[in-house]
Amino acid sequence: MSLLLACAVAACGQPATDTSANTIAAPVAANGAATAPAPAPAAGEAAALKLSGAADAASIAATLAEAKRQGMSDAKVTAAQSFRITEGGREIATVLTGEGKMPDATFAGCFVALRTGDNVELIPTLGYGDYEAQTCGGPTAVAILSSGDPVRFGMTFHSYSQDAEETVPMVVTWSRGDGSLLIDTELSTKAANSGIKTVAGMRPLVR
C-alpha cells in the first residue's frame, strides 16, 4: 500500500511538459501592445537622366547625315553642347546641337537632334518656323530640366542681327514613347517673355 502511494505521489509530482519553447510570441511594444511587422521597403524611384560626357563620333556623323538628308546646308555639330544621356549609369541616347540652314530658310539657323540606337530625330530651332526671323549664332547651353516622359531639355542659343544680339531660351521635349522631338512653344515663349537667359532660370517652369 505504501509502495502504491509512493508511486502515485511520484506521478502526480511530475512537472507538466512546457510547450512554450515551441511558440513564437508576437513582438510587444513598450506599452504592452503587440507591434505590427515592419513594412517591406518601397521600390526605389526611377533613376534620373543625366548628361554624361561628350557625344561620340558615330553620333555626330549620324546627325550630320540626317541634316544632309533634310537638305540642310553648312551643317556642323557644336561638340561643346552635345552630350551622351545616361540613366542609372547606362547610356540610352545622345543629344546634339549645332548650326545649319534649312533649304527654305532665309537666315542661318541652328538645330537640335537626338540619337537613340540607329535613329536620329533632328529639328531646326532658330532661323526656322516661329523663329525664322532670328539668325542663329550657335547653341550656348544644354541641360535636362525633367526626366519624366516626355523628357524636357532647356537650351539657350545666341541670336544676332544688325541691330542687336541676344540669348534665346528654348524648351525642347523628347517623347521616349514614340521618339519624337518637339519645341515646347508654350514654355519657350513663357521663358522668353519672362526675360530668362539661362538654363537654371528655366527649371522653375517645369516644376
Side-chain angles (χ1 to χ4, degrees), residues 15-71:
T17 302
D18 184 4
T19 60
S20 62
N22 299 323
T23 303
I24 301 175
V28 178
N31 61 5
T35 60
E45 296 182 356
L49 302 186
K50 295 181 180 180
L51 298 183
S52 179
D56 59 17
S59 294
I60 292 174
T63 298
L64 292 176
E66 175 60 20
K68 182 178 181 180
R69 188 192 70 79
Q70 293 190 22

Side-chain angles (χ1 to χ4, degrees), residues 11-202:
C12 292
Q14 187 70 23
T17 302
D18 184 4
T19 60
S20 62
N22 299 323
T23 303
I24 301 175
V28 178
N31 61 5
T35 60
E45 296 182 356
L49 302 186
K50 295 181 180 180
L51 298 183
S52 179
D56 59 17
S59 294
I60 292 174
T63 298
L64 292 176
E66 175 60 20
K68 182 178 181 180
R69 188 192 70 79
Q70 293 190 22
M72 186 175 285
S73 59
D74 301 321
K76 60 181 180 180
V77 169
T78 303
Q81 299 301 332
S82 299
F83 307 95
R84 290 174 289 163
I85 303 171
T86 60
E87 182 177 42
R90 180 176 63 90
E91 184 175 338
I92 61 168
T94 306
V95 59
L96 305 100
T97 60
E99 301 175 56
K101 184 179 179 181
M102 294 297 286
D104 54 346
T106 302
F107 301 106
C110 285
F111 65 82
V112 56
L114 196 129
R115 184 188 187 213
T116 51
D118 294 329
N119 182 64
V120 176
E121 291 289 322
L122 184 151
I123 58 172
T125 55
L126 296 194
Y128 197 77
D130 292 341
Y131 299 90
E132 63 182 356
Q134 294 175 285
T135 300
C136 187
T140 55
V142 177
I144 295 173
L145 300 180
S146 65
S147 297
D149 194 2
V151 178
R152 287 185 172 85
F153 297 96
M155 303 180 181
T156 56
F157 297 88
H158 178 65
S159 175
Y160 64 90
S161 65
Q162 292 182 342
D163 301 321
E165 295 186 24
E166 64 175 329
T167 297
V168 179
M170 191 175 295
V171 177
V172 174
T173 64
W174 166 40
S175 172
R176 296 184 66 175
D178 61 18
S180 61
L181 197 63
L182 299 169
I183 296 173
D184 188 319
T185 303
E186 181 180 354
L187 288 180
S188 297
T189 300
K190 187 175 182 179
N193 290 343
S194 300
I196 294 172
K197 303 295 183 183
T198 65
V199 170
M202 285 183 258

